Amino acid sequence: MELIWRNVKLLDRLERVDIVMDADGRIAELLDACTAEGGSVMDCTGMYASSGWIDLHVHAVSGLAPYGDEIDEIGVRHGVTTIVDAGSCGADRIDELAASRAEAKTRVLALLNVSRLGLQRIDELSELQWIDRKEALEAIARHPAFIVGLKARMSGSVVGRSGLEPLRLARALSVESGLPLMVHIGSRPPGVEEILPLLRERDVVTHYLNGKPDNRLFDHNGGALPVLKEALDRGVRLDVGHGTASFSFEVAEMAKHAGIRFDTISTDIYRGNRLNGPVHSLSQVLTKFLMLGYSLEEIIAAVTVRPARWLGRPELGRMKVGEPANLTLFEVSDSPSELLDSEGEKRTAGQTIQAKGVYTNGQYFAC
């Protein structure tokens, strides 16, 4: 049966439209508002539609503690049609994550942790023997369409006495596999001045707005560090990766004032920070950037077109007649929201972004 989203707003059009999904789950037509007939009709007056939201940094292995959650709880139930698990699994458990996709309604991709242990430990890079080149390459060969990059968490508590060497080994593995790196920056050592020079085009720095006073990408005057500017000139990307301890309103304002923009907005969500905050959902993270003064167009591009491009799957970031419908329905209301960053600072947003539903794989799911 056809499904019609009636009278919906698109960010790239002034006029509202009807979106018609056919029985095969494809976008059949984009028509003038309130002109489509037949099928099942949803009144979407006042709502927006975009291509399906992509969260580039999540933790979606339910059995891992503390960093784990159910796939669909952080996916379609919160308006996200594609999640990228960011290093929950290394070579030892990546097959388990790949198999878990069979029961999920959310599309799942993965970054392979360069430690074979993944997040079975939270100091997974503290022993260099756990970075097993052979096992990693075999895992990548088993899942070439599933594993889209590599993940290295470069915090002092993760690397221990190994220092910068895990990143050097990750760099070599990236070159050999042809996959980009996502690198987590946290508390030093190592410092960002050591980490960033090892990153190349298409690599991603996640947690770039963290409030760690000794390891920020911005100086005490709010200016971007030279090492950050040099990395951006080489084509390194910036990802939010909000998380429990990695997003500061103060640093976000520094970045905006310095003209340093995000490439992608992601949550670093897992069960604890979904239920107890400060993350809660991708909608709430997006609301924070609306409160910071970014345009809705730029915010939504950071969870659609930009991550789709980085993934090499541009179809995930577009809405095109004849192609499979992969859509998120959301509203921007004038109701205020109380927001909390990772440093405990509270702000109140005048407008709130809230996912209302998704259409993916031929099915509609309410949020």
Side-chain angles (χ1 to χ4, degrees):
M1 178 185 290
E2 288 185 344
L3 175 65
I4 300 168
W5 283 2
R6 173 153 291 167
N7 200 28
V8 69
K9 293 186 267 188
L10 305 181
L11 290 174
D12 61 350
R13 299 192 183 198
L14 293 176
E15 71 277 8
R16 291 176 173 82
V17 300
D18 289 350
I19 304 174
V20 182
M21 279 75 82
D22 66 21
D24 295 321
R26 296 181 177 273
I27 298 178
E29 295 179 289
L30 294 176
L31 301 174
D32 292 340
C34 304
T35 62
E37 296 180 354
S40 176
V41 177
M42 287 179 52
D43 182 3
C44 299
T45 301
M47 298 183 195
Y48 290 88
S50 68
S51 57
W53 290 356
I54 302 168
D55 194 339
L56 202 65
H57 184 162
V58 309
H59 293 288
V61 178
S62 180
L64 285 176
Y67 305 125
D69 209 342
E70 303 291 337
I71 289 172
D72 289 335
E73 282 292 345
I74 56 178
V76 293
R77 290 182 184 138
H78 281 95
V80 179
T81 62
T82 301
I83 60 172
V84 181
D85 183 279
S88 297
C89 297
D92 286 356
R93 293 186 69 170
I94 195 66
D95 296 343
E96 175 186 332
L97 177 58
S100 71
R101 297 174 295 167
E103 302 300 319
K105 306 301 183 182
T106 309
R107 182 182 297 102
V108 185
L109 301 169
L111 305 176
L112 181 72
N113 197 310
V114 296
S115 166
R116 65 181 299 161
L117 303 181
L119 296 184
Q120 295 179 75
R121 300 178 61 113
I122 58 173
D123 62 347
E124 73 271 15
L125 297 177
S126 60
E127 298 289 342
L128 296 180
Q129 66 194 30
W130 295 334
I131 305 174
D132 190 315
R133 168 189 165 276
K134 177 176 178 291
E135 292 292 335
L137 291 173
E138 288 179 356
I140 292 165
R142 288 196 304 274
H143 303 288
F146 174 54
I147 297 174
V148 294
L150 304 171
K151 177 74 180 294
R153 298 198 307 142
M154 296 304 296
S155 288
S157 60
V158 178
V159 303
R161 293 174 297 176
S162 298
L164 205 60
E165 190 59 23
L167 185 54
R168 295 192 182 102
L169 294 174
R171 173 81 281 148
L173 185 58
S174 170
V175 170
E176 191 167 1
S177 66
L179 294 175
L181 285 172
M182 176 184 279
V183 176
H184 151 131
I185 56 171
S187 298
R188 66 170 61 230
V192 294
E193 71 280 359
E194 301 175 272
I195 294 170
L196 266 63
L198 292 176
L199 304 187
R200 301 182 179 181
E201 185 177 5
R202 285 198 74 232
D203 289 342
V204 176
V205 174
T206 192
H207 308 319
Y208 88 102
L209 298 174
N210 82 71
K212 309 290 192 297
D214 66 339
N215 213 24
R216 296 178 180 180
L217 294 172
F218 303 88
D219 61 30
H220 65 279
N221 294 317
L225 297 180
V227 71
L228 172 57
K229 294 178 180 178
E230 292 162 4
L232 296 177
D233 287 343
R234 292 195 304 275
V236 173
R237 316 296 175 86
L238 297 178
D239 174 63
V240 171
H242 188 302
T244 301
S246 300
F247 175 79
S248 160
F249 285 130
E250 178 189 5
V251 177
E253 288 172 337
M254 288 179 180
K256 190 169 188 289
H257 183 73
I260 304 298
R261 320 291 274 201
F262 48 77
D263 290 287
T264 51
I265 299 175
S266 67
T267 59
D268 185 18
I269 198 169
Y270 52 89
R271 189 175 292 107
N273 66 30
R274 172 173 61 84
L275 296 176
N276 304 317
V279 176
H280 294 298
S281 67
L282 184 54
S283 290
Q284 186 157 130
V285 174
L286 298 182
T287 297
K288 292 175 183 180
F289 286 88
L290 195 64
M291 184 273 297
L292 287 165
Y294 289 93
S295 71
L296 185 62
E297 290 78 5
E298 185 172 5
I299 290 166
I300 298 303
V303 293
T304 55
V305 176
R306 290 179 187 168
R309 188 182 301 136
W310 185 82
L311 291 167
R313 305 185 185 201
E315 71 279 4
L316 296 180
R318 66 187 179 222
M319 188 186 303
K320 188 175 180 180
V321 171
E323 292 189 349
N326 168 54
L327 306 171
T328 295
L329 186 68
F330 65 99
E331 67 177 7
V332 181
S333 69
D334 290 330
S335 57
S337 296
E338 185 174 271
L339 306 172
L340 188 68
D341 73 1
S342 299
E343 306 300 312
E345 183 177 348
K346 292 181 180 179
R347 300 280 183 93
T348 299
Q351 291 185 302
T352 299
I353 298 172
Q354 182 60 56
K356 305 302 289 184
V358 300
Y359 188 94
T360 185
N361 295 316
Q363 291 181 272
Y364 175 77
F365 302 93
C367 296

